[in-house]
Amino acid sequence: MYIEQQPPGIPGPERPWPEIPTTPGVPGVPRTAGPEPRPILPSWYEPTSISIERELADRLLAERVILVGGRLDDALANHVASQLLLLDAQGNDPITLHLSASESGLDAALSVAGAIGLITAPVHAVARGTVRGAAIAVLAAAAQREAHRHTMFVLSTPKFTADGTAGQLAALADQHERQHARLLDLVATATGRSADEVAADLDAGRVLSAEEAVTYGLITGLR
C-alpha cells in the first residue's frame, strides 16, 4: 500500500490552514497589529438654560403673559412691543404684563407704553420688585394696574445726556422735553393728579410703597 506523506508544516486534513485576522468591516484585508479603533458616535450640544428660558417664555406667551424685568432698553422694548402686537392679533382677551424694572431708558419705556396704547386688547400690568424712573410710563399706560405688596416705586426724572454740535444738542433737548411731557401726561392721567404735581414728585425722587402707590393712584389694587 502506498501512503502519501506530506512534508511537515504543510496543512492537511488534520492541520487546516490557520485563519488570518482581518480588519473588521473590510473582508479580505489583514488586520494590522494594535488595538481596534473605537466607533465614532455622533454628539451635539444644546445650552440647557437657553432652551428652558425659551420654553418658559413660549408657555407664558401662550397664556397671554409677558415678563418685563431687569433693564428696560431699546432691545427689550422692541421685543415686548412685538409680543404685544402678536397677542393682539390673536384675540382681544386681556394681556397680563409683569413689570419689574430698576432701570429704564425714556425712549424704551415710551415705546412700550405706545404699543400698549396702540393695541385693542386690554393690558393688565402687575408690578413687582422695583419699578423706577421712566418704567412708570409702562405701568401708567395699562388699563388695569396691580402690584405685589412688597413692590417699591421710585418716581424720578429720567437723565438726559447727549453729544454733538450746538444745533444737534438743541434738537435732542427739545425731543427730550417732549418725551418728558409725555411721561408726565401718562402718569397724571393714570393717577388723576396734575402734571405739575407729578413733575415735582419726579424731580424730588419720591419713593412709594405698594400701599402708598394705591393712595397715590398709580396702582388700583394689591395682590
mmCIF file of all heavy atoms in Angstrom, residues 118-146:
data_model
loop_
_atom_site.group_PDB
_atom_site.id
_atom_site.type_symbol
_atom_site.label_atom_id
_atom_site.label_comp_id
_atom_site.label_asym_id
_atom_site.label_seq_id
_atom_site.Cartn_x
_atom_site.Cartn_y
_atom_site.Cartn_z
ATOM 1 N N LEU A 118 -51.603 101.362 21.478
ATOM 2 C CA LEU A 118 -51.932 101.087 20.081
ATOM 3 C C LEU A 118 -52.861 99.889 19.911
ATOM 4 O O LEU A 118 -53.746 99.893 19.062
ATOM 5 C CB LEU A 118 -50.640 100.854 19.287
ATOM 6 C CG LEU A 118 -50.777 100.512 17.806
ATOM 7 C CD1 LEU A 118 -51.378 101.688 17.037
ATOM 8 C CD2 LEU A 118 -49.421 100.127 17.224
ATOM 9 N N ILE A 119 -52.666 98.853 20.741
ATOM 10 C CA ILE A 119 -53.431 97.617 20.554
ATOM 11 C C ILE A 119 -54.822 97.754 21.162
ATOM 12 O O ILE A 119 -55.077 98.625 22.004
ATOM 13 C CB ILE A 119 -52.691 96.412 21.174
ATOM 14 C CG1 ILE A 119 -52.567 96.572 22.687
ATOM 15 C CG2 ILE A 119 -51.317 96.249 20.542
ATOM 16 C CD1 ILE A 119 -51.900 95.380 23.370
ATOM 17 N N THR A 120 -55.730 96.874 20.714
ATOM 18 C CA THR A 120 -57.109 96.909 21.215
ATOM 19 C C THR A 120 -57.315 95.997 22.426
ATOM 20 O O THR A 120 -58.234 96.227 23.219
ATOM 21 C CB THR A 120 -58.084 96.501 20.094
ATOM 22 O OG1 THR A 120 -57.717 95.200 19.607
ATOM 23 C CG2 THR A 120 -58.031 97.492 18.948
ATOM 24 N N ALA A 121 -56.499 94.965 22.573
ATOM 25 C CA ALA A 121 -56.618 94.070 23.730
ATOM 26 C C ALA A 121 -56.205 94.817 24.994
ATOM 27 O O ALA A 121 -55.187 95.512 25.005
ATOM 28 C CB ALA A 121 -55.742 92.834 23.539
ATOM 29 N N PRO A 122 -56.987 94.707 26.070
ATOM 30 C CA PRO A 122 -56.617 95.394 27.317
ATOM 31 C C PRO A 122 -55.364 94.789 27.937
ATOM 32 O O PRO A 122 -55.173 93.567 27.897
ATOM 33 C CB PRO A 122 -57.845 95.195 28.212
ATOM 34 C CG PRO A 122 -58.505 93.971 27.673
ATOM 35 C CD PRO A 122 -58.244 93.942 26.203
ATOM 36 N N VAL A 123 -54.522 95.644 28.505
ATOM 37 C CA VAL A 123 -53.288 95.204 29.152
ATOM 38 C C VAL A 123 -53.416 95.417 30.651
ATOM 39 O O VAL A 123 -53.690 96.534 31.104
ATOM 40 C CB VAL A 123 -52.065 95.964 28.609
ATOM 41 C CG1 VAL A 123 -50.804 95.563 29.378
ATOM 42 C CG2 VAL A 123 -51.890 95.698 27.117
ATOM 43 N N HIS A 124 -53.226 94.338 31.409
ATOM 44 C CA HIS A 124 -53.244 94.397 32.866
ATOM 45 C C HIS A 124 -51.801 94.306 33.359
ATOM 46 O O HIS A 124 -51.148 93.277 33.173
ATOM 47 C CB HIS A 124 -54.091 93.265 33.452
ATOM 48 C CG HIS A 124 -55.528 93.335 33.056
ATOM 49 N ND1 HIS A 124 -56.445 92.330 33.344
ATOM 50 C CD2 HIS A 124 -56.238 94.300 32.407
ATOM 51 C CE1 HIS A 124 -57.640 92.678 32.876
ATOM 52 N NE2 HIS A 124 -57.543 93.857 32.304
ATOM 53 N N ALA A 125 -51.309 95.363 33.977
ATOM 54 C CA ALA A 125 -49.928 95.388 34.457
ATOM 55 C C ALA A 125 -49.878 94.953 35.911
ATOM 56 O O ALA A 125 -50.722 95.353 36.727
ATOM 57 C CB ALA A 125 -49.328 96.782 34.309
ATOM 58 N N VAL A 126 -48.876 94.136 36.227
ATOM 59 C CA VAL A 126 -48.643 93.694 37.601
ATOM 60 C C VAL A 126 -47.205 94.060 37.957
ATOM 61 O O VAL A 126 -46.262 93.515 37.387
ATOM 62 C CB VAL A 126 -48.861 92.174 37.753
ATOM 63 C CG1 VAL A 126 -48.597 91.756 39.199
ATOM 64 C CG2 VAL A 126 -50.273 91.785 37.347
ATOM 65 N N ALA A 127 -47.041 94.994 38.878
ATOM 66 C CA ALA A 127 -45.712 95.453 39.265
ATOM 67 C C ALA A 127 -45.155 94.551 40.361
ATOM 68 O O ALA A 127 -45.891 94.089 41.248
ATOM 69 C CB ALA A 127 -45.766 96.897 39.757
ATOM 70 N N ARG A 128 -43.861 94.309 40.292
ATOM 71 C CA ARG A 128 -43.187 93.506 41.313
ATOM 72 C C ARG A 128 -41.767 94.017 41.467
ATOM 73 O O ARG A 128 -41.233 94.673 40.572
ATOM 74 C CB ARG A 128 -43.183 92.025 40.921
ATOM 75 C CG ARG A 128 -42.544 91.756 39.580
ATOM 76 C CD ARG A 128 -42.696 90.319 39.122
ATOM 77 N NE ARG A 128 -42.160 90.101 37.783
ATOM 78 C CZ ARG A 128 -40.877 89.898 37.504
ATOM 79 N NH1 ARG A 128 -39.989 89.861 38.489
ATOM 80 N NH2 ARG A 128 -40.482 89.726 36.260
ATOM 81 N N GLY A 129 -41.146 93.714 42.593
ATOM 82 C CA GLY A 129 -39.774 94.165 42.795
ATOM 83 C C GLY A 129 -39.689 95.667 42.905
ATOM 84 O O GLY A 129 -40.292 96.280 43.790
ATOM 85 N N THR A 130 -38.971 96.288 41.972
ATOM 86 C CA THR A 130 -38.803 97.741 41.929
ATOM 87 C C THR A 130 -39.150 98.260 40.545
ATOM 88 O O THR A 130 -38.704 97.707 39.540
ATOM 89 C CB THR A 130 -37.358 98.138 42.269
ATOM 90 O OG1 THR A 130 -37.020 97.659 43.578
ATOM 91 C CG2 THR A 130 -37.183 99.653 42.234
ATOM 92 N N VAL A 131 -39.945 99.296 40.507
ATOM 93 C CA VAL A 131 -40.257 99.991 39.248
ATOM 94 C C VAL A 131 -39.763 101.427 39.423
ATOM 95 O O VAL A 131 -40.263 102.157 40.278
ATOM 96 C CB VAL A 131 -41.761 99.958 38.933
ATOM 97 C CG1 VAL A 131 -42.037 100.672 37.614
ATOM 98 C CG2 VAL A 131 -42.261 98.517 38.882
ATOM 99 N N ARG A 132 -38.787 101.792 38.604
ATOM 100 C CA ARG A 132 -38.115 103.073 38.806
ATOM 101 C C ARG A 132 -38.115 103.917 37.529
ATOM 102 O O ARG A 132 -37.992 103.407 36.416
ATOM 103 C CB ARG A 132 -36.659 102.811 39.228
ATOM 104 C CG ARG A 132 -35.834 104.060 39.517
ATOM 105 C CD ARG A 132 -34.353 103.697 39.657
ATOM 106 N NE ARG A 132 -34.130 102.671 40.638
ATOM 107 C CZ ARG A 132 -33.914 102.894 41.934
ATOM 108 N NH1 ARG A 132 -33.872 104.143 42.386
ATOM 109 N NH2 ARG A 132 -33.716 101.890 42.772
ATOM 110 N N GLY A 133 -38.210 105.213 37.720
ATOM 111 C CA GLY A 133 -37.988 106.167 36.633
ATOM 112 C C GLY A 133 -38.972 106.050 35.490
ATOM 113 O O GLY A 133 -40.195 105.962 35.684
ATOM 114 N N ALA A 134 -38.427 106.001 34.272
ATOM 115 C CA ALA A 134 -39.261 106.027 33.066
ATOM 116 C C ALA A 134 -40.161 104.806 32.948
ATOM 117 O O ALA A 134 -41.192 104.858 32.270
ATOM 118 C CB ALA A 134 -38.367 106.142 31.831
ATOM 119 N N ALA A 135 -39.818 103.699 33.603
ATOM 120 C CA ALA A 135 -40.645 102.498 33.538
ATOM 121 C C ALA A 135 -42.034 102.727 34.118
ATOM 122 O O ALA A 135 -42.970 101.971 33.834
ATOM 123 C CB ALA A 135 -39.964 101.346 34.276
ATOM 124 N N ILE A 136 -42.206 103.795 34.904
ATOM 125 C CA ILE A 136 -43.528 104.150 35.428
ATOM 126 C C ILE A 136 -44.494 104.402 34.273
ATOM 127 O O ILE A 136 -45.700 104.174 34.390
ATOM 128 C CB ILE A 136 -43.420 105.395 36.333
ATOM 129 C CG1 ILE A 136 -42.523 105.107 37.550
ATOM 130 C CG2 ILE A 136 -44.786 105.870 36.787
ATOM 131 C CD1 ILE A 136 -43.100 104.133 38.527
ATOM 132 N N ALA A 137 -43.972 104.861 33.123
ATOM 133 C CA ALA A 137 -44.827 105.132 31.964
ATOM 134 C C ALA A 137 -45.497 103.856 31.465
ATOM 135 O O ALA A 137 -46.655 103.886 31.026
ATOM 136 C CB ALA A 137 -44.001 105.770 30.845
ATOM 137 N N VAL A 138 -44.784 102.738 31.506
ATOM 138 C CA VAL A 138 -45.356 101.465 31.074
ATOM 139 C C VAL A 138 -46.513 101.085 31.989
ATOM 140 O O VAL A 138 -47.587 100.661 31.536
ATOM 141 C CB VAL A 138 -44.287 100.364 31.069
ATOM 142 C CG1 VAL A 138 -44.879 99.017 30.665
ATOM 143 C CG2 VAL A 138 -43.136 100.739 30.139
ATOM 144 N N LEU A 139 -46.301 101.235 33.280
ATOM 145 C CA LEU A 139 -47.350 100.928 34.255
ATOM 146 C C LEU A 139 -48.559 101.835 34.057
ATOM 147 O O LEU A 139 -49.708 101.377 34.066
ATOM 148 C CB LEU A 139 -46.790 101.078 35.664
ATOM 149 C CG LEU A 139 -47.711 100.746 36.829
ATOM 150 C CD1 LEU A 139 -48.083 99.283 36.829
ATOM 151 C CD2 LEU A 139 -47.044 101.127 38.152
ATOM 152 N N ALA A 140 -48.300 103.126 33.855
ATOM 153 C CA ALA A 140 -49.393 104.091 33.736
ATOM 154 C C ALA A 140 -50.213 103.882 32.472
ATOM 155 O O ALA A 140 -51.396 104.244 32.430
ATOM 156 C CB ALA A 140 -48.820 105.516 33.752
ATOM 157 N N ALA A 141 -49.614 103.286 31.434
ATOM 158 C CA ALA A 141 -50.325 103.080 30.169
ATOM 159 C C ALA A 141 -51.296 101.912 30.220
ATOM 160 O O ALA A 141 -52.171 101.797 29.348
ATOM 161 C CB ALA A 141 -49.316 102.863 29.039
ATOM 162 N N ALA A 142 -51.183 101.047 31.222
ATOM 163 C CA ALA A 142 -52.032 99.852 31.297
ATOM 164 C C ALA A 142 -53.436 100.209 31.765
ATOM 165 O O ALA A 142 -53.642 101.144 32.543
ATOM 166 C CB ALA A 142 -51.407 98.833 32.243
ATOM 167 N N ALA A 143 -54.398 99.425 31.300
ATOM 168 C CA ALA A 143 -55.792 99.669 31.672
ATOM 169 C C ALA A 143 -56.050 99.306 33.130
ATOM 170 O O ALA A 143 -56.842 99.962 33.820
ATOM 171 C CB ALA A 143 -56.718 98.861 30.752
ATOM 172 N N GLN A 144 -55.402 98.262 33.602
ATOM 173 C CA GLN A 144 -55.535 97.826 34.997
ATOM 174 C C GLN A 144 -54.149 97.689 35.572
ATOM 175 O O GLN A 144 -53.254 97.127 34.939
ATOM 176 C CB GLN A 144 -56.287 96.498 35.068
ATOM 177 C CG GLN A 144 -56.465 95.954 36.478
ATOM 178 C CD GLN A 144 -57.279 94.667 36.485
ATOM 179 O OE1 GLN A 144 -58.282 94.543 35.783
ATOM 180 N NE2 GLN A 144 -56.852 93.700 37.280
ATOM 181 N N ARG A 145 -53.943 98.197 36.793
ATOM 182 C CA ARG A 145 -52.603 98.225 37.379
ATOM 183 C C ARG A 145 -52.643 97.652 38.789
ATOM 184 O O ARG A 145 -53.345 98.177 39.661
ATOM 185 C CB ARG A 145 -52.069 99.669 37.409
ATOM 186 C CG ARG A 145 -52.082 100.343 36.043
ATOM 187 C CD ARG A 145 -51.619 101.800 36.112
ATOM 188 N NE ARG A 145 -52.440 102.601 37.022
ATOM 189 C CZ ARG A 145 -53.613 103.145 36.698
ATOM 190 N NH1 ARG A 145 -54.115 102.953 35.497
ATOM 191 N NH2 ARG A 145 -54.289 103.884 37.570
ATOM 192 N N GLU A 146 -51.905 96.578 39.008
ATOM 193 C CA GLU A 146 -51.813 95.957 40.330
ATOM 194 C C GLU A 146 -50.341 95.836 40.722
ATOM 195 O O GLU A 146 -49.447 96.041 39.898
ATOM 196 C CB GLU A 146 -52.477 94.587 40.329
ATOM 197 C CG GLU A 146 -53.981 94.620 40.072
ATOM 198 C CD GLU A 146 -54.587 93.231 40.082
ATOM 199 O OE1 GLU A 146 -54.008 92.329 39.448
ATOM 200 O OE2 GLU A 146 -55.627 93.054 40.731
#
